[in-house]
Amino acid sequence: MKLRDLSLVKFSQDMSNLSLYVLGKAFDSVVDGEGLRETIFVQGCPHHCEGCHNPESWANRNPDAKDELLVDLYKEATGNPLWQGVTFSGGEPFLQAQQFAVLAANLHASNLDVWCYTGFLLEELLLRSDSDEGVRNLLSQIDVLVDGHFILAQRDLSAHFKGSANQRVIDMKKSISAGSVILHELNG
């Protein structure tokens, strides 16, 4: 799929009976995207990056993780008027892409932005989106995508909103419009 094709994506935004397998949440985060926000950490990750800040999220099942209904996550995220948005992190959010896509569409309807961290490259996700409707739907709903594996040897503590120099902070709306990757420009 091409970036521009994501502008044509339409899908049901009904949250009824949908849930995410969540490891944890961070409230009032300022390190997972611009502005004050909530971060949702999901369980399950195929990347297993050396130096990962969340290795307990790697296994598909974890006794500390639980299913949470999208409607409850939505109410929580929209309940704080100080939050600018919600960040999807992991684990790997694209393992639960359709559920995140539905949540993101509803968050947008409430004027919240959506950031997403993934160990996949955008180019890999675009290829997967040809056969995976959930990936296609989630890509169409993300405002800012931070892509690529965390590489410990390239760790950069001075970088904004990414852990290693290889990762990109991509403005998805501008990228979709332009048909090519446009990096996100930090506010202020």
Side-chain angles (χ1 to χ4, degrees):
M1 171 166 275
K2 294 185 171 118
L3 269 169
R4 285 184 193 223
D5 295 338
L6 292 173
S7 66
L8 306 173
V9 172
K10 305 281 188 239
F11 61 94
S12 171
Q13 299 175 11
D14 181 13
M15 292 188 286
S16 302
N17 302 315
L18 291 179
S19 63
L20 284 167
Y21 193 50
V22 175
L23 177 61
K25 294 175 273 191
F27 304 106
D28 301 332
S29 174
V30 295
V31 297
D32 298 314
E34 290 181 322
L36 199 59
R37 55 198 317 105
E38 177 183 15
T39 302
I40 300 170
F41 298 96
V42 293
Q43 186 66 40
C45 183
H47 307 297
H48 302 188
C49 301
E50 180 185 1
C52 173
H53 78 283
N54 208 0
E56 63 276 13
S57 71
W58 294 354
N60 288 331
R61 302 303 297 173
N62 181 326
D64 295 327
K66 64 180 181 175
D67 287 309
E68 294 200 34
L69 292 173
L70 291 192
V71 68
D72 293 336
L73 293 167
Y74 171 80
K75 287 177 185 174
E76 182 176 76
T78 58
N80 187 334
L82 300 178
W83 287 345
Q84 175 179 323
V86 177
T87 299
F88 304 155
S89 191
E92 175 54 63
F94 279 91
L95 296 182
Q96 300 183 65
Q98 183 59 35
Q99 298 94 311
F100 268 125
V102 172
L103 180 58
N106 283 278
L107 293 170
H108 281 142
S110 292
N111 297 313
L112 291 171
D113 66 44
V114 174
W115 285 50
C116 183
Y117 284 78
T118 180
F120 294 110
L121 293 174
L122 173 59
E123 293 78 7
E124 294 172 310
L125 292 169
L126 288 170
L127 286 173
R128 288 182 63 178
S129 73
D130 285 332
S131 61
D132 188 326
E133 185 178 9
V135 169
R136 183 170 49 248
N137 293 344
L138 180 53
L139 283 172
S140 76
Q141 292 299 311
I142 296 170
D143 295 298
V144 177
L145 180 73
V146 182
D147 79 338
H149 285 101
F150 170 74
I151 299 176
L152 186 58
Q154 294 183 31
R155 184 170 84 175
D156 184 352
L157 297 177
S158 67
H160 292 281
F161 308 121
K162 63 182 187 172
S164 56
N166 63 297
Q167 293 174 312
R168 301 178 293 182
V169 182
I170 300 169
D171 185 318
M172 286 298 291
K173 300 305 177 196
K174 287 182 180 176
S175 297
I176 290 168
S177 180
S180 61
V181 172
I182 305 291
L183 298 181
H184 176 70
E185 295 178 20
L186 298 176
N187 294 330

